[in-house]
Amino acid sequence: MQCPKCHHDNTKVVDSRPTEEGSAIRRRRACLACDYRFTTFERVEQPPLLVIKRDGNRQEFSREKLLRGMVRSCEKRPVALEDLKRLVSEIESELRARPHDEVSSQDIGEMVMDRLPAIDEVAYIRYASVYRRFEDPTVFLEEIESLRQLQRKQVEGQQNLDLDGDTD
């Protein structure tokens, strides 16, 4: 592995540990020439997963691009990067478990939107505004109202579970 600082070809692994729920290995490395430390990740090479964009073009699925979009929606919010990385891993695993090697960008967007409210509701609204191309404030209000209705259903469902479990 080449050092990203001095480009020397000789580095050593200082520490290794599994990450991303065991789907990758994180390695801390040190350059033997300049002693610079850096991190690399090792993943199993998988067949390409193609994303069909809205305009019909196809491009290879990118974990980094998906993560960047979610990070952007979470700016200045109390959301841990690890939570977003876990979300990306879940989505990628679900996509790769499908029988097809192609997926629409709309499917990916919906998967993010299904999971993001549990992490941060403001981030969800921000993501939805870009994903659904909100152009009118009333669309924002409609999306907020649908989020509120979902929350009410979840609370009612939890209350029903509490009542069902009551043995008095």
Side-chain angles (χ1 to χ4, degrees), residues 80-137:
L81 183 59
E82 286 305 312
D83 291 340
L84 297 178
K85 288 180 178 179
R86 181 181 38 77
L87 195 66
V88 169
S89 292
E90 288 174 12
I91 290 170
E92 183 178 18
S93 294
E94 190 175 320
L95 292 172
R96 291 197 181 276
R98 293 180 176 185
H100 307 291
D101 292 335
E102 293 185 347
V103 63
S104 72
S105 59
Q106 288 86 359
D107 285 349
I108 296 171
E110 290 300 325
M111 292 170 81
V112 171
M113 299 220 355
D114 288 344
R115 292 168 169 86
L116 206 49
I119 293 177
D120 189 88
E121 293 166 351
V122 172
Y124 165 80
I125 295 296
R126 289 176 176 171
Y127 190 89
S129 71
V130 173
Y131 171 70
R132 293 202 172 129
R133 298 179 180 179
F134 292 174
E135 294 180 11
D136 182 329

Side-chain angles (χ1 to χ4, degrees), residues 23-79:
S23 65
I25 302 289
R26 178 183 181 271
R27 300 196 192 280
R28 285 294 292 161
R29 295 178 176 269
C31 176
L32 297 176
C34 69
D35 209 32
Y36 179 71
R37 290 180 177 245
F38 59 101
T39 302
T40 61
F41 290 89
E42 180 180 317
R43 289 183 184 81
V44 173
E45 187 172 355
Q46 300 200 4
L49 179 63
L50 296 180
V51 177
I52 304 168
K53 307 298 279 181
R54 288 182 185 176
D55 63 5
N57 286 329
R58 286 169 169 74
Q59 61 181 231
E60 194 166 339
F61 174 79
S62 168
R63 297 174 53 87
E64 293 76 22
K65 186 174 178 181
L66 182 58
L67 182 61
R68 266 194 317 273
M70 288 191 288
V71 165
R72 204 172 304 124
S73 69
C74 293
E75 284 179 355
K76 298 182 182 179
R77 299 294 304 155
V79 177

